Amino acid sequence: VRLDMEDSPWTDSTIGIVRKLHEEGYSNVGTVIQAYLYRSGRDVQAMTANKMNLRLVKGAYKESRRIAFETKQEVDDNMRRLIKARLDSGVYTAIATHDQSIIRWVQSYTRMRAIPRSRFEFQM
C-alpha cells in the first residue's frame, strides 16, 4: 500500500503517517516521493535507511521555486539521482514515469549494474 503524495503542504504529514505505520509493524506501507522538490533527496535517504517502500515520480503540482526545481532538466536530473540511490540500495522501488528517456536510462543502468527486475518496477 502506498499513500499518495499531494502538494507540498502535505509532504511532512504523509511521510509522518507512513513512519508511524512502520513503527507499528506495517512494513508493507509506503508513499510517493516527488523528484521536483529539493527535499526529496533527504526524504529518500531517510526512508531508504528504514527500508520503506517508495514510488518515485517527477511531481505534478505547481510549487514555488523556493522549494522545487523549475526546469525539466533539473527535475529529470534529480529523478535519476533518486532512482539511482534506490536501485543501489537494494530496497524495492516503483518508478512512475512516461518519460522514455528515464525509462531507457533505468533499463541501461540496471543492466550495467546487474540489478534484478525483482527489485523495481515501472508504473504509469
Side-chain angles (χ1 to χ4, degrees):
V1 175
R2 288 188 197 99
L3 301 183
D4 200 6
M5 187 62 70
E6 300 297 327
D7 52 340
S8 62
W10 303 104
T11 304
D12 284 329
S13 297
T14 303
I15 291 173
I17 291 167
V18 171
R19 283 193 175 124
K20 177 80 170 134
L21 290 168
H22 268 254
E23 289 168 7
E24 294 177 7
Y26 296 100
S27 60
N28 64 331
V29 177
T31 191
V32 178
I33 296 295
Q34 300 177 92
Y36 73 154
L37 296 177
Y38 297 139
R39 66 175 285 164
S40 294
R42 291 184 312 276
D43 291 335
V44 165
Q45 184 178 21
M47 297 181 91
T48 300
N50 290 309
K51 303 206 181 317
M52 293 181 176
N53 187 314
L54 293 180
R55 179 179 200 244
L56 301 177
V57 301
K58 287 187 181 184
Y61 297 91
K62 179 69 177 158
E63 297 286 358
S64 164
R65 69 174 158 220
R66 288 180 293 109
I67 64 169
F69 295 107
E70 289 189 311
T71 70
K72 179 181 182 329
Q73 187 63 55
E74 290 173 315
V75 175
D76 287 356
D77 290 347
N78 201 46
M79 181 78 164
R80 285 183 183 93
R81 278 190 293 274
L82 299 178
I83 292 168
K84 183 180 180 299
R86 288 292 290 197
L87 292 174
D88 290 347
S89 77
V91 180
Y92 187 83
T93 302
I95 302 161
T97 186
H98 295 277
D99 186 326
Q100 288 297 313
S101 68
I102 298 278
I103 293 168
R104 284 190 299 273
W105 178 84
V106 170
Q107 291 169 327
S108 174
Y109 187 78
T110 56
R111 274 193 304 272
M112 179 182 69
R113 301 284 301 216
I115 296 170
R117 288 280 297 136
S118 60
R119 291 205 343 226
F120 70 98
E121 70 181 67
F122 290 109
Q123 296 182 344
M124 298 178 193

PDB file of all heavy atoms in Angstrom, residues 34-54:
ATOM      1  N   GLN A  34       8.223  12.975  -4.694  1.00  0.00           N
ATOM      2  CA  GLN A  34       8.214  13.790  -5.906  1.00  0.00           C
ATOM      3  C   GLN A  34       9.602  14.378  -6.147  1.00  0.00           C
ATOM      4  O   GLN A  34      10.112  15.129  -5.314  1.00  0.00           O
ATOM      5  CB  GLN A  34       7.182  14.899  -5.761  1.00  0.00           C
ATOM      6  CG  GLN A  34       5.784  14.309  -5.555  1.00  0.00           C
ATOM      7  CD  GLN A  34       4.747  15.362  -5.326  1.00  0.00           C
ATOM      8  OE1 GLN A  34       4.120  15.813  -6.260  1.00  0.00           O
ATOM      9  NE2 GLN A  34       4.571  15.769  -4.072  1.00  0.00           N
ATOM     10  N   ALA A  35      10.189  14.046  -7.279  1.00  0.00           N
ATOM     11  CA  ALA A  35      11.568  14.432  -7.580  1.00  0.00           C
ATOM     12  C   ALA A  35      11.753  15.929  -7.737  1.00  0.00           C
ATOM     13  O   ALA A  35      12.874  16.419  -7.626  1.00  0.00           O
ATOM     14  CB  ALA A  35      12.040  13.723  -8.852  1.00  0.00           C
ATOM     15  N   TYR A  36      10.714  16.669  -7.978  1.00  0.00           N
ATOM     16  CA  TYR A  36      10.910  18.102  -8.210  1.00  0.00           C
ATOM     17  C   TYR A  36      11.088  18.913  -6.938  1.00  0.00           C
ATOM     18  O   TYR A  36      11.459  20.076  -6.994  1.00  0.00           O
ATOM     19  CB  TYR A  36       9.815  18.674  -9.087  1.00  0.00           C
ATOM     20  CG  TYR A  36       8.440  18.853  -8.484  1.00  0.00           C
ATOM     21  CD1 TYR A  36       7.585  19.822  -8.987  1.00  0.00           C
ATOM     22  CD2 TYR A  36       7.979  18.069  -7.450  1.00  0.00           C
ATOM     23  CE1 TYR A  36       6.319  19.995  -8.475  1.00  0.00           C
ATOM     24  CE2 TYR A  36       6.719  18.236  -6.930  1.00  0.00           C
ATOM     25  CZ  TYR A  36       5.885  19.201  -7.449  1.00  0.00           C
ATOM     26  OH  TYR A  36       4.624  19.370  -6.938  1.00  0.00           O
ATOM     27  N   LEU A  37      10.886  18.309  -5.776  1.00  0.00           N
ATOM     28  CA  LEU A  37      11.110  19.023  -4.517  1.00  0.00           C
ATOM     29  C   LEU A  37      12.576  18.906  -4.104  1.00  0.00           C
ATOM     30  O   LEU A  37      13.169  17.830  -4.161  1.00  0.00           O
ATOM     31  CB  LEU A  37      10.213  18.454  -3.414  1.00  0.00           C
ATOM     32  CG  LEU A  37       8.713  18.622  -3.617  1.00  0.00           C
ATOM     33  CD1 LEU A  37       7.952  17.937  -2.489  1.00  0.00           C
ATOM     34  CD2 LEU A  37       8.326  20.095  -3.712  1.00  0.00           C
ATOM     35  N   TYR A  38      13.152  20.003  -3.658  1.00  0.00           N
ATOM     36  CA  TYR A  38      14.538  19.995  -3.201  1.00  0.00           C
ATOM     37  C   TYR A  38      14.752  18.991  -2.074  1.00  0.00           C
ATOM     38  O   TYR A  38      15.800  18.361  -1.983  1.00  0.00           O
ATOM     39  CB  TYR A  38      14.963  21.381  -2.688  1.00  0.00           C
ATOM     40  CG  TYR A  38      14.942  22.490  -3.701  1.00  0.00           C
ATOM     41  CD1 TYR A  38      14.477  23.748  -3.345  1.00  0.00           C
ATOM     42  CD2 TYR A  38      15.401  22.320  -4.997  1.00  0.00           C
ATOM     43  CE1 TYR A  38      14.464  24.799  -4.246  1.00  0.00           C
ATOM     44  CE2 TYR A  38      15.398  23.363  -5.914  1.00  0.00           C
ATOM     45  CZ  TYR A  38      14.924  24.598  -5.534  1.00  0.00           C
ATOM     46  OH  TYR A  38      14.908  25.630  -6.430  1.00  0.00           O
ATOM     47  N   ARG A  39      13.796  18.835  -1.216  1.00  0.00           N
ATOM     48  CA  ARG A  39      13.912  17.998  -0.030  1.00  0.00           C
ATOM     49  C   ARG A  39      13.910  16.500  -0.328  1.00  0.00           C
ATOM     50  O   ARG A  39      14.224  15.688   0.544  1.00  0.00           O
ATOM     51  CB  ARG A  39      12.774  18.316   0.939  1.00  0.00           C
ATOM     52  CG  ARG A  39      11.406  17.929   0.377  1.00  0.00           C
ATOM     53  CD  ARG A  39      10.277  18.115   1.341  1.00  0.00           C
ATOM     54  NE  ARG A  39      10.290  17.071   2.339  1.00  0.00           N
ATOM     55  CZ  ARG A  39       9.621  17.138   3.473  1.00  0.00           C
ATOM     56  NH1 ARG A  39       8.882  18.189   3.758  1.00  0.00           N
ATOM     57  NH2 ARG A  39       9.685  16.152   4.341  1.00  0.00           N
ATOM     58  N   SER A  40      13.551  16.117  -1.534  1.00  0.00           N
ATOM     59  CA  SER A  40      13.315  14.707  -1.843  1.00  0.00           C
ATOM     60  C   SER A  40      14.545  13.827  -1.662  1.00  0.00           C
ATOM     61  O   SER A  40      14.419  12.663  -1.278  1.00  0.00           O
ATOM     62  CB  SER A  40      12.742  14.560  -3.247  1.00  0.00           C
ATOM     63  OG  SER A  40      11.459  15.141  -3.282  1.00  0.00           O
ATOM     64  N   GLY A  41      15.732  14.355  -1.911  1.00  0.00           N
ATOM     65  CA  GLY A  41      16.944  13.557  -1.690  1.00  0.00           C
ATOM     66  C   GLY A  41      17.075  13.129  -0.243  1.00  0.00           C
ATOM     67  O   GLY A  41      17.370  11.970   0.056  1.00  0.00           O
ATOM     68  N   ARG A  42      16.839  14.067   0.673  1.00  0.00           N
ATOM     69  CA  ARG A  42      16.904  13.742   2.108  1.00  0.00           C
ATOM     70  C   ARG A  42      15.795  12.759   2.492  1.00  0.00           C
ATOM     71  O   ARG A  42      16.015  11.836   3.280  1.00  0.00           O
ATOM     72  CB  ARG A  42      16.794  15.010   2.946  1.00  0.00           C
ATOM     73  CG  ARG A  42      18.001  15.919   2.850  1.00  0.00           C
ATOM     74  CD  ARG A  42      17.904  17.124   3.777  1.00  0.00           C
ATOM     75  NE  ARG A  42      16.634  17.845   3.720  1.00  0.00           N
ATOM     76  CZ  ARG A  42      16.336  18.791   2.824  1.00  0.00           C
ATOM     77  NH1 ARG A  42      17.223  19.143   1.909  1.00  0.00           N
ATOM     78  NH2 ARG A  42      15.160  19.400   2.855  1.00  0.00           N
ATOM     79  N   ASP A  43      14.599  12.981   1.946  1.00  0.00           N
ATOM     80  CA  ASP A  43      13.481  12.082   2.260  1.00  0.00           C
ATOM     81  C   ASP A  43      13.762  10.663   1.771  1.00  0.00           C
ATOM     82  O   ASP A  43      13.531   9.691   2.502  1.00  0.00           O
ATOM     83  CB  ASP A  43      12.180  12.598   1.641  1.00  0.00           C
ATOM     84  CG  ASP A  43      11.682  13.872   2.285  1.00  0.00           C
ATOM     85  OD1 ASP A  43      12.011  14.134   3.462  1.00  0.00           O
ATOM     86  OD2 ASP A  43      10.945  14.624   1.607  1.00  0.00           O
ATOM     87  N   VAL A  44      14.269  10.547   0.552  1.00  0.00           N
ATOM     88  CA  VAL A  44      14.590   9.219   0.014  1.00  0.00           C
ATOM     89  C   VAL A  44      15.669   8.557   0.854  1.00  0.00           C
ATOM     90  O   VAL A  44      15.574   7.376   1.187  1.00  0.00           O
ATOM     91  CB  VAL A  44      14.998   9.309  -1.475  1.00  0.00           C
ATOM     92  CG1 VAL A  44      15.667   8.023  -1.942  1.00  0.00           C
ATOM     93  CG2 VAL A  44      13.785   9.615  -2.338  1.00  0.00           C
ATOM     94  N   GLN A  45      16.691   9.300   1.221  1.00  0.00           N
ATOM     95  CA  GLN A  45      17.772   8.742   2.037  1.00  0.00           C
ATOM     96  C   GLN A  45      17.236   8.207   3.364  1.00  0.00           C
ATOM     97  O   GLN A  45      17.546   7.083   3.767  1.00  0.00           O
ATOM     98  CB  GLN A  45      18.841   9.801   2.275  1.00  0.00           C
ATOM     99  CG  GLN A  45      20.047   9.290   3.024  1.00  0.00           C
ATOM    100  CD  GLN A  45      21.105  10.372   3.189  1.00  0.00           C
ATOM    101  OE1 GLN A  45      20.837  11.565   3.096  1.00  0.00           O
ATOM    102  NE2 GLN A  45      22.327   9.949   3.448  1.00  0.00           N
ATOM    103  N   ALA A  46      16.415   8.996   4.043  1.00  0.00           N
ATOM    104  CA  ALA A  46      15.876   8.582   5.339  1.00  0.00           C
ATOM    105  C   ALA A  46      14.940   7.385   5.205  1.00  0.00           C
ATOM    106  O   ALA A  46      15.004   6.445   6.001  1.00  0.00           O
ATOM    107  CB  ALA A  46      15.142   9.752   5.996  1.00  0.00           C
ATOM    108  N   MET A  47      14.089   7.409   4.195  1.00  0.00           N
ATOM    109  CA  MET A  47      13.124   6.317   4.034  1.00  0.00           C
ATOM    110  C   MET A  47      13.812   5.047   3.538  1.00  0.00           C
ATOM    111  O   MET A  47      13.398   3.940   3.895  1.00  0.00           O
ATOM    112  CB  MET A  47      11.994   6.757   3.130  1.00  0.00           C
ATOM    113  CG  MET A  47      11.216   7.924   3.767  1.00  0.00           C
ATOM    114  SD  MET A  47       9.856   8.492   2.775  1.00  0.00           S
ATOM    115  CE  MET A  47       8.581   7.441   3.477  1.00  0.00           C
ATOM    116  N   THR A  48      14.862   5.192   2.770  1.00  0.00           N
ATOM    117  CA  THR A  48      15.621   4.027   2.315  1.00  0.00           C
ATOM    118  C   THR A  48      16.342   3.378   3.494  1.00  0.00           C
ATOM    119  O   THR A  48      16.377   2.153   3.605  1.00  0.00           O
ATOM    120  CB  THR A  48      16.609   4.427   1.199  1.00  0.00           C
ATOM    121  OG1 THR A  48      15.859   4.967   0.103  1.00  0.00           O
ATOM    122  CG2 THR A  48      17.419   3.234   0.722  1.00  0.00           C
ATOM    123  N   ALA A  49      16.898   4.189   4.380  1.00  0.00           N
ATOM    124  CA  ALA A  49      17.574   3.651   5.563  1.00  0.00           C
ATOM    125  C   ALA A  49      16.626   2.799   6.399  1.00  0.00           C
ATOM    126  O   ALA A  49      17.043   1.838   7.049  1.00  0.00           O
ATOM    127  CB  ALA A  49      18.145   4.792   6.404  1.00  0.00           C
ATOM    128  N   ASN A  50      15.332   3.131   6.350  1.00  0.00           N
ATOM    129  CA  ASN A  50      14.316   2.371   7.083  1.00  0.00           C
ATOM    130  C   ASN A  50      13.607   1.343   6.208  1.00  0.00           C
ATOM    131  O   ASN A  50      12.592   0.785   6.599  1.00  0.00           O
ATOM    132  CB  ASN A  50      13.303   3.332   7.706  1.00  0.00           C
ATOM    133  CG  ASN A  50      13.915   4.115   8.836  1.00  0.00           C
ATOM    134  OD1 ASN A  50      14.511   3.547   9.738  1.00  0.00           O
ATOM    135  ND2 ASN A  50      13.799   5.431   8.769  1.00  0.00           N
ATOM    136  N   LYS A  51      14.156   1.129   5.008  1.00  0.00           N
ATOM    137  CA  LYS A  51      13.643   0.128   4.060  1.00  0.00           C
ATOM    138  C   LYS A  51      12.162   0.328   3.725  1.00  0.00           C
ATOM    139  O   LYS A  51      11.399  -0.634   3.587  1.00  0.00           O
ATOM    140  CB  LYS A  51      13.910  -1.283   4.565  1.00  0.00           C
ATOM    141  CG  LYS A  51      15.385  -1.538   4.835  1.00  0.00           C
ATOM    142  CD  LYS A  51      15.732  -2.968   4.732  1.00  0.00           C
ATOM    143  CE  LYS A  51      17.176  -3.276   5.015  1.00  0.00           C
ATOM    144  NZ  LYS A  51      18.189  -2.455   4.487  1.00  0.00           N
ATOM    145  N   MET A  52      11.761   1.577   3.578  1.00  0.00           N
ATOM    146  CA  MET A  52      10.359   1.895   3.264  1.00  0.00           C
ATOM    147  C   MET A  52      10.115   1.821   1.766  1.00  0.00           C
ATOM    148  O   MET A  52      10.928   2.254   0.954  1.00  0.00           O
ATOM    149  CB  MET A  52      10.010   3.278   3.785  1.00  0.00           C
ATOM    150  CG  MET A  52      10.005   3.346   5.283  1.00  0.00           C
ATOM    151  SD  MET A  52       9.559   5.005   5.825  1.00  0.00           S
ATOM    152  CE  MET A  52       9.526   4.766   7.579  1.00  0.00           C
ATOM    153  N   ASN A  53       8.960   1.308   1.423  1.00  0.00           N
ATOM    154  CA  ASN A  53       8.512   1.178   0.052  1.00  0.00           C
ATOM    155  C   ASN A  53       8.232   2.564  -0.528  1.00  0.00           C
ATOM    156  O   ASN A  53       7.503   3.345   0.073  1.00  0.00           O
ATOM    157  CB  ASN A  53       7.234   0.323   0.066  1.00  0.00           C
ATOM    158  CG  ASN A  53       6.752  -0.028  -1.299  1.00  0.00           C
ATOM    159  OD1 ASN A  53       6.682   0.805  -2.189  1.00  0.00           O
ATOM    160  ND2 ASN A  53       6.373  -1.284  -1.463  1.00  0.00           N
ATOM    161  N   LEU A  54       8.819   2.859  -1.697  1.00  0.00           N
ATOM    162  CA  LEU A  54       8.602   4.162  -2.316  1.00  0.00           C
ATOM    163  C   LEU A  54       8.209   4.036  -3.780  1.00  0.00           C
ATOM    164  O   LEU A  54       8.636   3.109  -4.469  1.00  0.00           O
ATOM    165  CB  LEU A  54       9.869   5.022  -2.248  1.00  0.00           C
ATOM    166  CG  LEU A  54      10.333   5.480  -0.888  1.00  0.00           C
ATOM    167  CD1 LEU A  54      11.600   6.323  -1.027  1.00  0.00           C
ATOM    168  CD2 LEU A  54       9.249   6.274  -0.181  1.00  0.00           C
TER     169      LEU A  54
END
